[in-house]
Structure formats: structure tokens, C-alpha cells
Amino acid sequence: MSEITIRQLVPDDFAIMREIRLEALQLHPEAYSSAYEDWVKFSEADWRAKLNAPVFAAFDGERPVGLIGLWPQAGARTAHRAIVVMVYVKSEMRGQGIAQKLMQVVEAYARDNGFTQLELSVLAENKTAWQLYLREGYTEFGRRPNWISLNGEMFDEVMMLRSVAENA
């Protein structure tokens, strides 16, 4: 393993995002409310458009190994908030602090761009991700029962938030 670097993707990096996102959804369907079957249908233009919002990838040398995105809220009353999405690190790269680094990059980006609150959701059964978010300072503020159905089984969504205000 070489040094892990993280950088924000631009629309011309759509293939990197597509590769990592589709892998995450295909290999770990139980970890996401989005479905591989929906995302695999996206055109190149769709993937490029998704990179209009901040998306960051972690690289082991030149190889993409992780992904995280941020969906800024744009309303006059909600522009202080952004939603953390698509958190993923390739299985063979887990346990090396990459997810934590991705979270820290997104938090710095949010703070630098005037956001004061980050939100995310995690499926209740995804204990590994849930523990990461708790370690990163997120707290649970609600649940949605039966949020997704996967292979006939229902999964609850846990909603979490974290203040990233300078004085928090």
C-alpha cells in the first residue's frame, strides 16, 4: 500500500465515481438505501451531473479505494446543512483509517464552505458504519422504521447529525 490521498472529483472523473459507487452497491446492498439496479442505469451525463455536488475519492497510489459525497441543502432556511452520502471503502482497505480520513475531508470542506451542520443516515444493522459515525462525533436524532426492503427483510434507518460550526 502506498500513501492514501484524497481529492475532490470533477465531472471528468465520472468513471472513478461510477466504479466505486457501483461496487459499493453491488457488494454491500445491505449498507445503502440506494440500489445497484437503479444506479447501473445512469448515463455518462447522469454520472457527470452527480459530480456537481462535492464528491471525494480516496486513492491508494492511482487506485481509487474509497468514496464520500456531500449534498448541500440549498433552501433559504436549510442552507446551513449538508448531507453526507455514499460513504464506502473497499473491503481489502478497511481498518486503515481511510473512512475516518474521508469523513474529516468532508467536514473540513463543509466548514470551509459555511455549513454548520452535517447529517447522514445509516441502516440500523450496519453497526460498523454506525460506530464510525459515533466516533466522528455524530449523534442519533431519529429513526425511520422499515426504511428499505431488501430480499423481503425490512431495515430501519438511523438519522444522525454533527455540528461543524467553528464554535461548536
Side-chain angles (χ1 to χ4, degrees):
M1 180 179 90
S2 58
E3 182 179 348
I4 299 298
T5 58
I6 298 174
R7 71 171 172 85
Q8 185 173 351
L9 301 180
V10 297
D12 283 345
D13 293 323
F14 75 92
I16 294 168
M17 180 185 176
R18 180 177 57 206
E19 172 193 335
I20 300 173
R21 182 64 173 155
L22 290 179
E23 175 183 309
L25 293 172
Q26 190 169 37
L27 296 180
H28 303 283
E30 75 288 348
Y32 301 97
S33 56
S34 295
Y36 174 84
E37 297 80 7
D38 297 328
W39 284 65
V40 75
K41 297 175 188 173
F42 292 160
S43 68
E44 179 181 321
D46 294 331
W47 286 104
R48 286 178 179 275
K50 291 200 173 295
L51 288 169
N52 289 330
V55 175
F56 299 85
F59 294 86
D60 179 14
E62 297 294 316
R63 185 172 74 105
V65 296
L67 192 70
I68 193 169
L70 195 63
W71 290 350
Q73 303 302 288
R77 296 180 182 181
T78 59
H80 65 286
R81 299 172 36 232
I83 301 170
V84 177
V85 295
M86 301 187 295
V87 181
Y88 178 69
V89 173
K90 288 179 176 275
S91 298
E92 70 273 14
M93 300 300 291
R94 293 183 185 161
Q96 300 177 43
I98 297 170
Q100 179 182 21
K101 288 178 185 177
L102 285 164
M103 297 290 293
Q104 291 168 350
V105 165
V106 160
E107 291 161 12
Y109 177 94
R111 197 174 294 110
D112 291 348
N113 286 276
F115 298 101
T116 59
Q117 181 170 297
L118 291 179
E119 300 171 15
L120 55 79
S121 65
V122 60
L123 296 181
E125 291 76 10
N126 191 347
K127 302 297 185 198
T128 302
W130 196 357
Q131 291 301 313
L132 167 69
Y133 304 143
L134 288 172
R135 283 193 310 272
E136 289 301 308
Y138 287 79
T139 57
E140 180 179 337
F141 71 90
R143 286 181 177 240
R144 290 185 176 129
N146 301 322
W147 182 243
I148 69 163
S149 173
L150 177 63
N151 300 324
E153 188 176 353
M154 301 302 250
F155 294 87
D156 293 352
E157 175 189 48
V158 177
M159 298 173 293
M160 304 180 85
L161 63 80
R162 177 179 181 206
S163 174
V164 291
E166 290 293 337
N167 57 357

